[in-house]
Amino acid sequence: GQQVKQSSPSLTVQEGGISILNCDYENDMFDYFAWYKKYPDNSPTLLISVRSNVDKREDGRLTVFLNKSGKHFSLHITASQPEDTAVYLCAAGGQGGSAKLIFGEGTKLTVSS
Amino acid sequence: EAAVTQSPRNKVAVTGGKVTLSCNQTNNHNNMYWYRQDTGHGLRLIHYSYGAGSTEKGDIPDGYKASRPSQENFSLILELATPSQTSVYFCASGDVGGDAETLYFGSGTRLTVL
């Protein structure tokens, strides 16, 4: 089964609004959680990541919330801009030092002006 | 700046043929990865490696082999290519589970199997 799942394949947000992207995972041994951004015909690049010892991390307009008991993490983008339009991939891994990183299916975010 | 280089960028192969995708990294990362990207599936892990001489199966290894002859190079081999292996393949390096957790991806190889 899908170990890391993004249930929303797409999301549209008005410019200036808050984009909320969600990710669920199955393996409660995961201790590393990340969000990658991918433009069409480009490679994914890391946006923000957290370890399981924190439940929130902020970086500018980006905030990651981690709910370990619910096996859920989310990415909030405030003041969304048209250039935020991209595919967002969540990823989880690092269980017991493993190098394996599992990605979700991706959510296509469109910020309309 | 971290650098991961894939070759070729595009490849057309025939069913039953052998295909080798190459990846080189200059980051001195221990770990390297091969993913494929398909609509509706995101990135799926095929094989990965902890260092020279090591290869590990990912989530979808069937039909693929991997080779890590050195710290810098990691190849993905399709011995008998099939149309279902038509996809975009991404190589990455990083040290997830270690101190440097970011994965650095190459530009991707678009493979079409006819």
Side-chain angles (χ1 to χ4, degrees):
Chain A
Q2 185 73 21
Q3 292 192 60
V4 178
K5 188 160 181 61
Q6 295 175 254
S7 54
S8 298
S10 63
L11 174 69
T12 300
V13 172
Q14 284 282 103
E15 183 176 3
I18 299 176
S19 301
I20 300 175
L21 300 145
N22 294 299
C23 189
D24 297 295
Y25 62 95
E26 294 182 355
N27 190 335
D28 55 12
M29 294 297 292
F30 286 150
D31 62 3
Y32 171 77
F33 306 91
W35 285 94
Y36 280 74
K37 182 178 183 179
K38 186 182 182 304
Y39 292 115
D41 298 324
N42 269 310
S43 50
T45 55
L46 178 70
L47 274 180
I48 189 168
S49 63
V50 294
R51 280 282 183 195
S52 58
N53 57 343
V54 299
D55 55 15
K56 177 182 173 181
R57 182 182 173 195
E58 291 183 64
D59 183 2
R61 295 189 295 117
L62 308 176
T63 303
V64 176
F65 293 93
L66 175 61
N67 176 353
K68 286 220 75 179
S69 62
K71 296 183 191 175
H72 177 85
F73 61 109
S74 61
L75 174 67
H76 292 215
I77 307 173
T78 58
S80 298
Q81 300 163 6
E83 51 265 40
D84 294 330
T85 295
V87 173
Y88 290 79
L89 297 156
C90 66
Q95 63 210 76
S98 164
K100 195 171 159 180
L101 192 62
I102 308 299
F103 284 83
E105 308 95 323
T107 297
K108 171 74 191 303
L109 172 66
T110 303
V111 180
S112 58
S113 55
Chain B
E1 176 74 21
V4 179
T5 305
Q6 292 181 232
S7 62
R9 287 298 309 274
N10 293 283
K11 173 75 177 177
V12 178
V14 295
T15 297
K18 182 176 180 177
V19 177
T20 300
L21 306 183
S22 300
C23 181
N24 176 276
Q25 57 113 349
T26 58
N27 308 321
N28 198 33
H29 287 146
N30 290 321
N31 303 335
M32 295 186 74
Y33 308 80
W34 277 107
Y35 290 89
R36 61 179 283 178
Q37 180 199 12
D38 302 286
T39 303
H41 291 281
L43 293 172
R44 290 184 290 174
L45 183 62
I46 306 170
H47 284 287
Y48 61 110
S49 167
Y50 288 108
S54 124
T55 60
E56 305 289 334
K57 292 181 180 179
D59 295 321
I60 53 164
D62 292 346
Y64 302 93
K65 288 183 180 178
S67 173
R68 182 87 182 271
S70 65
Q71 178 83 340
E72 296 79 19
N73 294 295
F74 190 37
S75 298
L76 186 69
I77 302 149
L78 291 66
E79 296 278 4
L80 294 169
T82 69
S84 65
Q85 293 175 313
T86 292
S87 187
V88 179
Y89 292 84
F90 286 99
C91 174
S93 76
D95 280 329
V96 171
D99 294 331
E101 296 166 335
T102 303
L103 282 193
Y104 294 90
F105 285 85
S107 301
T109 295
R110 186 174 296 274
L111 173 66
T112 303
V113 183
L114 302 175

